[in-house]
Amino acid sequence: MSVLELVDTHVTHVTHVATNAASQAKPAAPEFADAEKLVDHIIEVVGKEIVLGAPLAIGKPIAFINALYQRAKADPSITLRIETGITLEKPVGKSQLEKNFLEPFVEREFEGVPDIDYIMDLRKGAVPSNITVSEFFFKAGSFLNSPQQQNYTSTNYTHAVRDLLDKGVNVVGQLVAKRTIDGVTTYSLCSNSDLALDFAPVLKEMQDSGKPVAMIAEVNSNMPFMQNHAEVADNVFDFVLDQNLKPDNKDYALFAAPHASISPEDHMIGFYASTLVKDGGTLQVGIGSLSSALIYSTLLRHQNNAVYNQIVDELHVAEKFPVTRLVGDRGIFEEGLYGCSELMVDGFMNLYKAGILKREVFEDLTVQTLLNKKKITTDVSVSTLLTLLEHGAIHQQLTAKDVGYLKRIGVFRGSVEFFNGQLQAQHQTMKANLGDAEALQWITKFCLGDKLSGGAVMHGAFFIGPKDFYEALNNLSDEDHKKFCMTSVNYVNDLYDHFIGSQQLKQAQRKHARFINSAMMVTLNGSAISDALENGQVVSGVGGQYNFVAQSHQLPDSRSIMKLRSCSVRNGKLKSNIMFNYGHTTIPRQLRDIVITEYGIADLRGKPDHVVYTELIKIADSRFQQQLLDQAKAAGKVAKDYTIPVEFGNNTPEAIQGIYQKFTQQNIFGPFPFGCSFTAEELQLGKALKALKAKTATPKGKIKCILNAITTPKPDKTIQPLLKRIGLENPTSIQDKLTQRLLIAELRGR
């Protein structure tokens, strides 16, 4: 629900914030057209020791952050600490070849996207000593072997507000959208309602106690204006930077993540995961190609169910992985799904457009419970009214409070009025007694609405995605917008009572939940490694993964699903991602549940260790299965006479390619099912460069590639344009000439 609607204050936090602020007559936040002047004002308010809390990903107020950073950089008397997560950067190549490939792409795809000054200086080692940047979640792999490892803060996403307050945050910044309707101005938290909704009341309390803190907003008209919990009153912030107050201002473009390619292995992982998604259930997914693959197969299941079931049968899913029969599904989505995911990815929009993301949940526990029990539907009828009466939600002799409640949930039309114990509708009056047959008939004719109102098909805490995702959000109708609710990460990520909704309500909404996350590695005891390496270096962060895994164990019909590729190249050598043990754990073994690789599904929850070990070995790559089995037997975790069943002994890339190629010939799967940001030339070059990098990762591989390059023919007319695109059409140095020959050989498939 929006703050523009007149509702009871207990319904949403947004309403609570707005009405609480209004009751204390707090005026609308002052607006600044110039970032430098806002920085001046912030220093006046909080002083020269500034701890800035900024949202992760695209929610950062870049103009304000850059102005504040440059001020502190120029004035050593200012101490600035920036506390944030996922600082986004445009791709930059390490080698000259990578730079030649990326620069035209970046200029095209990231046109108008500003750089964040502190990250540019971090890369150059040029951040002055009076400034510190600390993150609780790295963009994956972005700070390996970096001094920034020392400034990483490990925290669950749901604890971020608490930990930032403990660190002394006194300024909170947020990128917002703005709109004015009938003279009423509101702001939207847009992509990052995640922490701001929890920060707002706490900072207000701190201000009331005399502490110098400030909450600032920066307006950007390119931000999709999200309603519901994300829409807040104009006095929630203390100061607003709106550069559109200056003539001819053009807001900067949002950082958009290009569509990722989906490999055959990723498609298989996504396909297996889709067999566990229950119609009428709840879905959480992460970011990246594994999640895109899951979305694709979920769409395939609904839109081309015959082919989907053909693949299920050819992979012998039901026979090899009986958990799919117990908790999964393979039919179309008749009831549909509800999305409850800390990250709202573009895939949810694809599911919505396909009619899959359509199970609405409601902020009223009685309504939600009755829907779950199928006592009512979202279609309103006299039966809806009588069922609410039967379950004590309203009185037989309706009161003013009952009528307000019925209007709010859509059972009564908004035009119905209550006065002196009577109902008024369409210029007629009737007693408000549901026990009177005549009154009930009149109410049915003149008062009932058509649909329950206030339903949401999606609750998310933050979003980031490709350009077409932002465009889709911007182009949603008002009716569609109301179904997407960006809200607090504490509401989405755990089940504890929260001022937005109780634990009972969350449990009622999240039936048949499938909390699907990704891992880098899994050990044979079921522990998952998702955020860091055993030497302590952090790859990304815990984020919300632990919360979702723990939550899944609290809900009676929920499952936690961990996806990973069976193997990867590390230090130039192919290694299994299912390992006997590892020196770091993100998710402990006691929270093990379901694990998926491209070779299938391991059902681990509640199983004894010998089953856990063998189930994971069954979905490992066959090149590593025997080694893993020998280690398990040596440790006494698996019986000495156990052998791997023959049906699990062909876990090879060739087997994956066989099934993949069969169905790509039918236009099923494919590397870019949701669109591609690269040109045909860039795709060809990118594939060749990636392959060449892998082949030359070892001394033996490098020698082989050089020998191939020496004997490769000169480039023909098909290769010349590719060389020109990469800046190697006329190499002069010996290094460039060798690089050209290596690339030509790879492009020729040698």
Side-chain angles (χ1 to χ4, degrees):
M1 291 191 179
S2 165
V3 296
L4 299 180
E5 299 178 68
L6 195 61
V7 295
D8 294 337
T9 56
H10 72 276
V11 176
T12 70
H13 168 60
V14 172
T15 305
H16 170 75
V17 170
T19 54
N20 183 53
S23 67
Q24 298 184 30
K26 181 180 177 182
E31 294 180 306
F32 292 78
D34 183 78
E36 293 293 337
K37 290 183 178 178
L38 178 54
V39 170
D40 289 337
H41 201 74
I42 289 298
I43 293 173
E44 289 177 13
V45 172
V46 304
K48 288 192 171 185
E49 292 188 7
I50 301 172
V51 183
L52 172 66
L56 46 72
I58 65 172
K60 292 177 175 59
I62 298 177
F64 173 73
I65 290 176
N66 283 350
L68 182 60
Y69 175 78
Q70 291 299 338
R71 182 70 61 86
K73 191 175 177 181
D75 184 355
S77 69
I78 296 174
T79 300
L80 173 63
R81 195 162 78 247
I82 299 172
E83 298 284 347
T84 189
I86 310 184
T87 299
L88 298 168
E89 305 170 78
K90 301 171 194 173
V92 177
K94 294 180 180 178
S95 67
Q96 189 58 49
L97 194 64
E98 288 179 349
K99 289 177 181 177
N100 290 349
F101 174 77
L102 283 172
E103 283 173 2
F105 171 78
V106 169
E107 287 176 8
R108 181 180 74 243
E109 288 298 312
F110 295 91
E111 182 182 3
V113 177
D115 292 316
I116 300 177
D117 290 347
Y118 70 74
I119 196 72
M120 304 301 287
D121 279 358
L122 276 173
R123 293 303 182 194
K124 295 184 290 186
V127 177
S129 60
N130 61 318
I131 301 175
T132 304
V133 179
S134 180
E135 299 199 57
F136 68 89
F137 201 105
F138 290 146
K139 184 168 69 71
S142 61
F143 284 111
L144 287 173
N145 303 310
S146 164
Q148 272 300 97
Q149 289 285 329
Q150 298 174 27
N151 293 326
Y152 171 77
T153 300
S154 184
T155 184
N156 287 325
Y157 202 173
T158 51
H159 299 156
V161 168
R162 179 204 66 189
D163 291 349
L164 292 176
L165 290 168
D166 286 347
K167 287 185 166 191
V169 163
N170 54 10
V171 179
V172 173
Q174 175 90 30
L175 199 64
V176 302
K178 174 185 177 181
R179 72 177 181 181
T180 301
I181 299 177
D182 296 331
V184 177
T185 297
T186 55
Y187 295 102
S188 173
L189 302 172
C190 306
S191 64
N192 288 82
S193 55
D194 48 357
L195 305 183
L197 287 172
D198 292 85
F199 261 126
V202 177
L203 291 183
K204 179 67 170 60
E205 290 176 5
M206 293 171 69
Q207 288 173 335
D208 291 343
S209 68
K211 294 183 179 178
V213 296
M215 191 164 180
I216 71 106
E218 178 181 317
V219 175
N220 188 307
S221 58
N222 293 314
M223 266 288 189
F225 193 105
M226 306 305 292
Q227 302 177 29
N228 298 308
H229 299 173
E231 186 175 11
V232 298
D234 62 359
N235 55 7
V236 168
F237 294 100
D238 297 301
F239 309 105
V240 174
L241 173 62
D242 187 355
Q243 297 179 102
N244 294 301
L245 298 173
K246 296 185 291 188
D248 302 322
N249 176 69
K250 184 179 180 181
D251 286 329
Y252 54 80
L254 303 178
F255 189 104
H259 287 287
S261 64
I262 306 175
S263 70
E265 292 77 14
D266 291 350
H267 266 302
M268 289 300 101
I269 294 168
F271 185 84
Y272 281 119
S274 72
T275 67
L276 296 168
V277 178
K278 191 83 169 174
D279 184 27
T282 303
L283 185 64
Q284 127 82 20
V285 300
I287 196 169
S289 59
L290 287 176
S291 296
S292 297
L294 164 65
I295 297 296
Y296 176 82
S297 284
T298 304
L299 290 165
L300 177 66
R301 173 176 145 185
H302 185 70
Q303 297 173 326
N304 198 343
N305 193 248
V307 170
Y308 180 87
N309 277 292
Q310 182 185 349
I311 302 171
V312 169
D313 292 338
E314 291 202 17
L315 291 172
H316 305 289
V317 173
E319 297 79 17
K320 294 172 70 175
F321 313 110
V323 66
T324 60
R325 300 197 305 268
L326 295 173
V327 305
D329 228 334
R330 58 192 289 177
I332 64 172
F333 293 90
E334 295 180 349
E335 187 178 350
L337 299 177
Y338 154 62
C340 184
S341 184
E342 71 174 22
L343 173 58
M344 183 172 76
V345 292
D346 58 308
F348 282 109
M349 190 58 62
N350 292 325
L351 295 178
Y352 182 68
K353 291 178 179 177
I356 297 173
L357 191 72
K358 63 181 179 181
R359 183 173 76 83
E360 294 182 62
V361 301
F362 293 82
E363 295 183 342
D364 184 90
L365 179 59
T366 301
V367 169
Q368 188 63 54
T369 302
L370 292 174
L371 283 168
N372 289 355
K373 293 181 177 180
K374 302 192 183 303
K375 299 286 186 181
I376 63 172
T377 69
T378 56
D379 293 321
V380 172
S381 67
V382 68
S383 175
T384 312
L385 190 65
L386 295 176
T387 302
L388 289 169
L389 174 63
E390 178 187 349
H391 288 82
I394 54 176
H395 301 88
Q396 181 172 297
Q397 179 63 51
L398 294 175
T399 65
K401 185 176 181 181
D402 290 335
V403 174
Y405 170 73
L406 291 170
K407 289 169 65 175
R408 176 164 60 79
I409 65 174
V411 175
F412 273 8
R413 298 171 189 167
S415 59
V416 176
E417 298 295 338
F418 180 85
F419 184 72
N420 285 342
Q422 292 191 315
L423 295 170
Q424 295 179 351
Q426 299 186 28
H427 307 294
Q428 299 187 45
T429 303
M430 177 57 71
K431 52 192 169 186
N433 190 339
L434 300 181
D436 184 282
E438 181 186 4
L440 187 60
Q441 187 176 8
W442 183 90
I443 290 169
T444 303
K445 183 176 181 180
F446 295 106
C447 297
L448 292 184
D450 297 320
K451 292 271 188 182
L452 294 177
S453 63
V457 298
M458 177 81 219
H459 280 101
F462 80 104
F463 65 70
I464 182 174
K467 291 177 182 178
D468 54 11
F469 176 46
Y470 302 152
E471 291 171 4
L473 289 175
N474 273 320
N475 293 329
L476 284 177
S477 68
D478 193 59
E479 181 182 352
D480 288 334
H481 251 301
K482 286 182 169 60
K483 295 180 181 179
F484 289 83
C485 184
M486 301 305 296
T487 188
S488 165
V489 71
N490 285 284
Y491 182 80
V492 173
N493 283 31
D494 66 31
L495 289 176
Y496 294 121
D497 287 343
H498 190 266
F499 47 68
I500 290 177
S502 68
Q503 179 168 332
Q504 281 184 296
L505 178 63
K506 295 180 187 182
Q507 289 176 315
Q509 291 175 341
R510 299 171 194 187
K511 64 174 186 174
H512 297 299
R514 300 293 178 262
F515 297 123
I516 304 178
N517 292 281
S518 299
M520 298 185 295
M521 294 168 276
V522 169
T523 61
L524 285 185
N525 66 12
S527 302
I529 300 95
S530 308
D531 69 314
L533 307 178
E534 61 184 347
N535 65 0
Q537 288 216 6
V538 179
V539 176
S540 54
V542 176
Q545 186 170 110
Y546 172 82
N547 289 122
F548 279 112
V549 171
Q551 184 180 166
S552 73
H553 286 271
Q554 293 174 277
L555 292 167
D557 52 12
S558 171
R559 300 303 296 261
S560 167
I561 299 169
M562 205 66 70
K563 304 171 299 179
L564 76 158
R565 300 174 185 92
S566 68
C567 48
S568 61
V569 175
R570 299 195 290 276
N571 298 321
K573 187 176 181 182
L574 185 71
K575 295 185 179 181
S576 176
N577 287 332
I578 295 179
M579 310 177 72
F580 178 70
N581 57 11
Y582 194 72
H584 171 74
T585 293
T586 309
I587 304 299
R589 65 178 183 270
Q590 66 267 27
L591 293 179
R592 60 198 182 195
D593 195 346
I594 292 173
V595 174
I596 297 177
T597 72
E598 64 268 32
Y599 299 119
I601 305 167
D603 181 17
L604 312 179
R605 193 176 76 180
K607 302 294 194 299
D609 273 3
H610 76 93
V611 174
V612 172
Y613 278 63
T614 53
E615 287 298 296
L616 285 169
I617 291 171
K618 287 178 185 177
I619 63 168
D621 189 289
S622 290
R623 289 168 289 184
F624 302 99
Q625 283 179 317
Q626 191 58 50
Q627 175 190 344
L628 291 168
L629 182 58
D630 291 344
Q631 289 176 293
K633 287 181 177 181
K637 304 301 289 189
V638 175
K640 297 294 185 183
D641 60 350
Y642 176 85
T643 58
I644 299 168
V646 64
E647 62 267 31
F648 297 98
N650 188 35
N651 292 353
T652 64
E654 291 75 22
I656 296 295
Q657 283 293 333
I659 191 81
Y660 178 78
Q661 289 176 2
K662 175 178 179 178
F663 286 97
T664 52
Q665 292 172 3
Q666 303 177 40
N667 293 319
I668 305 299
F669 302 129
F672 291 100
F674 300 116
C676 181
S677 302
F678 295 98
T679 65
E681 282 185 347
E682 288 168 347
L683 283 175
Q684 194 174 353
L685 280 168
K687 183 178 180 180
L689 290 172
K690 186 176 180 180
L692 195 57
K693 187 174 182 179
K695 290 177 181 178
T696 57
T698 62
K700 184 178 179 181
K702 189 175 292 186
I703 292 171
K704 184 177 179 180
C705 286
I706 291 173
L707 291 174
N708 280 335
I710 292 172
T711 58
T712 193
K714 291 184 177 181
D716 56 25
K717 291 181 180 180
T718 62
I719 292 179
Q720 284 288 0
L722 299 175
L723 295 176
K724 184 177 181 180
R725 168 62 181 80
I726 205 77
L728 284 176
E729 71 271 34
N730 294 306
T732 54
S733 68
I734 294 175
Q735 177 66 43
D736 284 349
K737 288 179 180 179
L738 177 58
T739 301
Q740 186 202 55
R741 303 294 292 176
L742 287 167
L743 183 57
I744 293 170
E746 187 59 43
L747 288 168
R748 291 183 180 279
R750 296 190 60 170

